[in-house]
Amino acid sequence: MIQNGQSETTGVFGYPVITTTPNHPGRSFTFNGGSRVTQGVAFDNLSIRTINDEQMQTFEELIERLTPDGLNYGETHGGGLSWYLGATMEAGTAMLYATLGFGGLSITNFLPGTPLFENWIRAFDRFIGACNLGGLAYELFPAFDQGQADYAMAAATRSGHLLTLQAGLKAELNAMTGGSGEVPLFLRQPSSWTVNSVGYNMAQSAAILSDVDTALANPTKLILCGPQYANPHYRAGDVHTDAEGKHWEGISLGRAIQNYRTGAATKATRKRSRANIKA
């Protein structure tokens, strides 16, 4: 799984990392550049970096890093993802995780033709190339965690951008593999019922709610892996989860991917009625 998105995908600093040793040695990997491949200032929107082959030459056991030079930012979703998949995948199967995200950017910065989209495709290209070189069969799972910057975007606009993003990934990845099938995009729904301190009102955002409706209407294209509000956050009223929250989010991504792989993928759900809710 190669992930893209906003700051929620860059890893969290200021907390001890959880995944200091491989969860399942020999079954969970990342690139030699670390789980956060696009290293640099996490929240500097003017420093969008292009990844290069030096960061993706080999596979290494997945551990999380909290380095003093600020290049890797600690626990990402990869720790929880590897913890879950390593325990549930069939024998003889391994996983690779990398994240390419940058903070504060609109979905328009990730659409086909942008530098961040090209980073995504380049990372998949290097992964496919390494697998082909080693004679390894593979599956591709793009994931996207973004939306806070677009909380005021019109629902129809947000929905159209998500479908454009998924269609671009499908076209590029099928061109690489010679395939023609659907390539679902795994989504985290950025939401918090308490987010107000940073100027967002995510609980009432039409754009964020449209993620659910778009996934329901396009179940083969978009797989929503649950909201973020239930996980531990960096501080009250914030949009960022802490290290434990990142770990739990990774587990939910892993569960969704494994359900999809085994034909038991769950669909996005949305409460339509409160009649049966009891205290």
Side-chain angles (χ1 to χ4, degrees), residues 1 27 72 78 87 89 101 115 121 125-126 164 176 178 181 205 277:
M1 189 187 88
R27 304 201 73 190
N72 292 92
M89 293 184 301
I121 300 307
D125 178 69
R126 295 306 302 154
T164 296
M176 291 181 190
S205 168
I277 298 177

Side-chain angles (χ1 to χ4, degrees), residues 73-177:
Y73 273 89
E75 197 74 19
T76 69
H77 295 145
L81 182 82
S82 65
W83 182 87
Y84 184 85
L85 286 181
T88 56
M89 293 184 301
E90 59 275 17
T93 303
M95 57 141 285
L96 177 136
Y97 170 85
T99 179
L100 312 172
F102 274 87
L105 298 181
S106 168
I107 191 173
T108 57
N109 294 102
F110 298 91
L111 295 179
T114 64
L116 292 181
F117 183 85
E118 295 306 318
N119 277 351
W120 216 349
I121 300 307
R122 185 59 176 158
F124 274 116
D125 178 69
R126 295 306 302 154
F127 170 73
I128 293 171
C131 289
N132 287 340
L133 187 64
L136 302 174
Y138 57 83
E139 300 169 86
L140 306 178
F141 299 106
F144 191 56
D145 190 337
Q146 186 277 338
Q148 294 91 340
D150 297 327
Y151 71 99
M153 182 177 285
T157 303
R158 170 76 180 181
S159 178
H161 286 328
L162 276 177
L163 293 173
T164 296
L165 181 60
Q166 185 273 335
L169 287 164
K170 174 185 175 180
E172 292 284 354
L173 297 183
N174 276 333
M176 291 181 190
T177 63

Side-chain angles (χ1 to χ4, degrees), residues 42-61:
F43 305 106
D44 184 353
N45 301 339
L46 301 178
S47 299
I48 299 175
R49 290 165 171 78
T50 301
I51 57 176
N52 57 57
D53 286 348
E54 291 181 0
Q55 295 166 289
M56 300 180 295
Q57 289 180 329
T58 59
F59 298 162
E60 296 182 355
E61 299 267 21

Side-chain angles (χ1 to χ4, degrees), residues 189-231:
Q189 186 190 29
S191 58
S192 175
W193 290 344
T194 63
V195 172
N196 288 302
S197 67
V198 290
Y200 302 136
N201 192 351
M202 304 299 287
Q204 299 179 20
S205 168
I208 301 307
L209 292 175
S210 78
D211 286 7
V212 182
D213 288 330
T214 308
L216 285 168
N218 299 273
T220 63
K221 298 179 179 181
L222 303 172
I223 298 178
L224 195 63
C225 304
Q228 293 172 336
Y229 63 80
N231 296 312

